[in-house]
């Protein structure tokens, strides 16, 4: 394995070389407006994957892919002349999915905005299923309630003895 920094430098150098060669032109009428987006080099520096995008329709993308595939040998020899490595890496052109991914992300963001507006509309017109304020509040007594509560508490206290925690049989005062 080679140092990752060296592989990164070589990938950057290959990207510049291929981009300059494409800028000078290739004598292939099928080649459209091609942009080199990235280059990845394997750890042993034997293979370089060149990622590209093409501006245009699907037919123009297919034609540009065929033109780049036909120019692979020429691009490899150009890279071999301009890098200082013992072996020239093999080159593979791969169509980058950036435009398709960007379109997908735009669609997802548009859908999320639409759903947010729907939820906002539903929230504006929503009503509570139960009470508006479901939390328990302290009971508010009126003057009449206070009088009734005082009398009922006293009656209950006289009628039932206070619990002691053990069961005792009632005794009659006459039997003693």
């Amino acid at each position: 394995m080679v140092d990752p920094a060296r592989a990164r430098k070589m990938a950057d150098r290959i990207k510049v070389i291929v981009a300059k060669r494409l800028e000078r032109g290739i004598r292939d009428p099928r080649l459209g407006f091609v942009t080199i987006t990235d280059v990845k080099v394997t750890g042993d520096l034997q293979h370089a994957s060149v990622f590209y995008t093409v501006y245009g329709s699907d037919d123009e993308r297919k034609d540009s892919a065929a033109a780049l595939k036909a120019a692979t040998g020429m691009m490899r020899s150009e890279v071999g002349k301009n890098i200082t490595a013992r072996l020239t890496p093999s080159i593979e052109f791969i169509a980058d999915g950036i435009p398709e991914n960007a379109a997908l992300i735009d669609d997802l963001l548009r859908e999320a905005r639409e759903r947010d507006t729907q939820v906002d509309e539903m929230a504006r017109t929503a009503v509570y299923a139960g009470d508006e304020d479901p939390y328990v509040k302290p009971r508010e007594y009126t003057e009449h309630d206070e009088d009734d509560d005082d009398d009922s508490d006293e009656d209950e206290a006289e009628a039932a003895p206070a619990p002691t925690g053990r069961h005792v049989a009632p005794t009659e005062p006459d039997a003693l």
Side-chain angles (χ1 to χ4, degrees):
M1 292 297 291
V2 178
D3 182 30
R6 182 173 179 208
R8 205 172 23 251
K9 285 180 185 178
M10 182 177 265
D12 289 341
R13 183 72 184 136
I14 290 172
K15 181 178 178 180
V16 169
I17 293 167
V18 170
K20 283 186 178 179
R21 182 64 183 119
L22 287 174
E23 189 177 291
R24 282 185 293 190
I26 296 176
R27 294 184 190 138
D28 195 337
R30 299 176 293 177
L31 189 65
F33 187 69
V34 176
T35 303
I36 305 299
T37 57
D38 197 14
V39 175
K40 299 285 184 193
V41 178
T42 58
D44 59 358
L45 306 177
Q46 294 295 311
H47 183 76
S49 299
V50 180
F51 295 92
Y52 69 93
T53 60
V54 178
Y55 182 75
S57 66
D58 288 336
D59 292 336
E60 291 172 335
R61 289 181 189 147
K62 289 177 185 175
D63 290 344
S64 294
L68 287 172
K69 186 170 180 142
T72 301
M74 182 195 52
M75 289 292 179
R76 184 173 184 216
S77 64
E78 188 77 22
V79 168
K81 291 177 193 174
N82 292 305
I83 61 170
T84 56
R86 188 169 56 100
L87 297 171
T88 303
S90 61
I91 295 178
E92 175 186 19
F93 287 98
I94 301 172
D96 203 349
I98 289 176
E100 292 83 12
N101 289 343
L104 177 65
I105 290 171
D106 284 341
D107 289 342
L108 291 173
L109 288 173
R110 181 186 43 75
E111 184 181 335
R113 278 192 297 273
E114 289 173 1
R115 287 186 180 180
D116 285 347
T117 57
Q118 289 174 354
V119 168
D120 287 342
E121 184 62 33
M122 289 171 46
R124 265 189 247 118
T125 60
V127 293
Y128 292 102
D131 293 334
E132 283 191 29
D133 191 5
Y135 298 105
V136 176
K137 294 187 175 84
R139 184 173 173 193
E140 295 179 11
Y141 294 101
T142 62
E143 206 173 290
H144 179 68
D145 289 339
E146 290 176 7
D147 293 340
D148 290 342
D149 287 340
D150 291 340
D151 294 340
S152 63
D153 290 341
E154 291 174 6
D155 293 340
E156 290 177 14
E158 293 174 7
T164 59
R166 19 177 253 232
H167 181 65
V168 179
T171 57
E172 293 185 20
D174 294 337
L176 290 177

